[in-house]
């Protein structure tokens, strides 16, 4: 599915993705229609071996997560040069039902040594609200490990984007969720919706 989307811009927070390396957070350093340079938040020694391989740059807008396919042409000191090619793909829409859910979650800063273990207040396919024990600042990038009732933890990158109705709660937008984990999360949300509907009918 293709959709028009604004260009990648300098300073924009993105996720870069490779089939074997996985997802890595970064920021656009420079770019043109033909390619971009992405500065990684955390260096990864495996990247040098993937020059010439397919990579993708994923960016979030109000309309969804958009994937820009390309090829890694160079890597230097944690900066990736990616030649863009092909159509931009919209891989996830952002309209999601939010449900109350009290799940174990680990939230840790990408660039700052903050965070730890806590619980969610509610979740949706695009984000979670957590009990914030650490007064996480708005705008901070975090790594999220959410423990769903079955299977391994769901891992994602996220950003603290809002203060909840309770000052000790923070909302985290989750980006760069693996497709299999996204499917697990949506199944969990749908199952909870069905349970709530059945319970309301039995009252």
């Amino acid at each position: 599915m293709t959709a028009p989307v604004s260009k990648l811009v300098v300073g924009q927070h993105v996720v870069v993705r490779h089939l074997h390396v996985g997802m890595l957070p970064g920021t656009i350093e420079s770019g043109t229609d033909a390619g971009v340079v992405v500065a990684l938040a955390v260096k990864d020694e495996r990247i040098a071996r993937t020059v010439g391989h397919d990579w993708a740059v994923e960016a979030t807008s109000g309309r969804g997560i958009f994937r820009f396919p390309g090829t890694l042409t160079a890597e230097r000191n944690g900066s990736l040069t990616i030649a863009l090619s092909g159509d931009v793909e919209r891989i996830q829409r952002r309209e999601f039902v939010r449900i109350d859910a009290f799940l174990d979650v680990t939230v840790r800063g990408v660039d700052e040594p903050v965070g730890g273990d806590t619980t969610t207040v509610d979740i949706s396919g695009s984000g979670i609200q957590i009990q914030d024990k650490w007064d996480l600042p708005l705008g901070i990038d975090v790594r999220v490990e959410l423990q769903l009732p079955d299977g391994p933890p769901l891992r994602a990158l996220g950003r603290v984007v809002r203060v909840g109705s309770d000052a000790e709660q923070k909302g985290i937008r989750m980006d760069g969720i693996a497709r299999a984990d996204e499917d697990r999360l949506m199944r969990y949300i749908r199952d909870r919706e069905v349970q709530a509907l059945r319970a309301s009918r039995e009252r």
Side-chain angles (χ1 to χ4, degrees):
M1 178 179 183
T2 59
V5 64
S6 58
K7 298 177 182 179
L8 296 167
V9 296
V10 173
Q12 185 175 7
H13 292 278
V14 296
V15 171
V16 292
R17 184 192 295 268
H18 180 265
L19 178 62
H20 300 298
V21 176
M23 301 174 295
L24 300 170
T27 304
I28 300 294
E29 279 190 335
S30 63
T32 65
D33 291 342
V36 293
V37 176
V38 179
L40 295 180
V42 179
K43 296 180 181 179
D44 192 309
E45 296 179 354
R46 298 172 294 173
I47 293 174
R49 300 193 296 269
T50 68
V51 172
H53 291 199
D54 290 338
W55 279 76
V57 182
E58 295 179 358
T60 302
S61 78
R63 297 173 51 236
I65 296 176
F66 292 87
R67 177 178 293 159
F68 297 74
T71 302
L72 180 65
T73 59
E75 185 277 334
R76 182 177 181 183
N77 296 327
S79 289
L80 311 187
T81 301
I82 299 175
L84 300 178
S85 60
D87 293 329
V88 179
E89 178 187 9
R90 185 167 62 204
I91 59 174
Q92 180 185 17
R93 291 188 62 81
R94 304 300 288 184
E95 297 85 40
F96 291 108
V97 174
R98 184 171 295 276
I99 62 169
D100 293 334
F102 303 96
L103 301 173
D104 292 332
V105 64
T106 301
V107 177
R108 297 190 187 280
V110 171
D111 297 315
E112 302 178 40
V114 295
D117 297 332
T118 185
T119 56
T120 62
V121 177
D122 57 47
I123 66 172
S124 75
S126 61
I128 58 177
Q129 187 165 208
I130 65 165
Q131 293 290 350
D132 179 13
K133 307 175 183 179
W134 317 279
D135 194 21
L136 297 172
L138 292 177
I140 187 175
D141 292 322
V142 294
R143 298 185 189 277
V144 176
E145 290 190 7
L146 176 65
Q147 185 62 63
L148 294 174
D150 61 287
L154 179 154
R155 293 180 172 86
L157 299 171
R159 174 169 292 182
V160 179
V161 293
R162 67 179 183 277
V163 179
S165 56
D166 182 328
E168 295 183 359
Q169 298 174 355
K170 292 286 174 60
I172 297 175
R173 185 189 69 217
M174 295 195 300
D175 300 323
I177 305 174
R179 186 63 58 88
D181 283 341
E182 181 185 352
D183 290 343
R184 289 174 58 212
L185 180 60
M186 296 311 297
R187 282 197 300 271
Y188 173 73
I189 292 172
R190 285 195 296 268
D191 288 345
R192 288 291 302 272
E193 287 184 275
V194 170
Q195 292 172 11
L197 180 60
R198 289 174 177 169
S200 66
R201 289 176 174 173
E202 292 172 356
R203 290 174 185 170

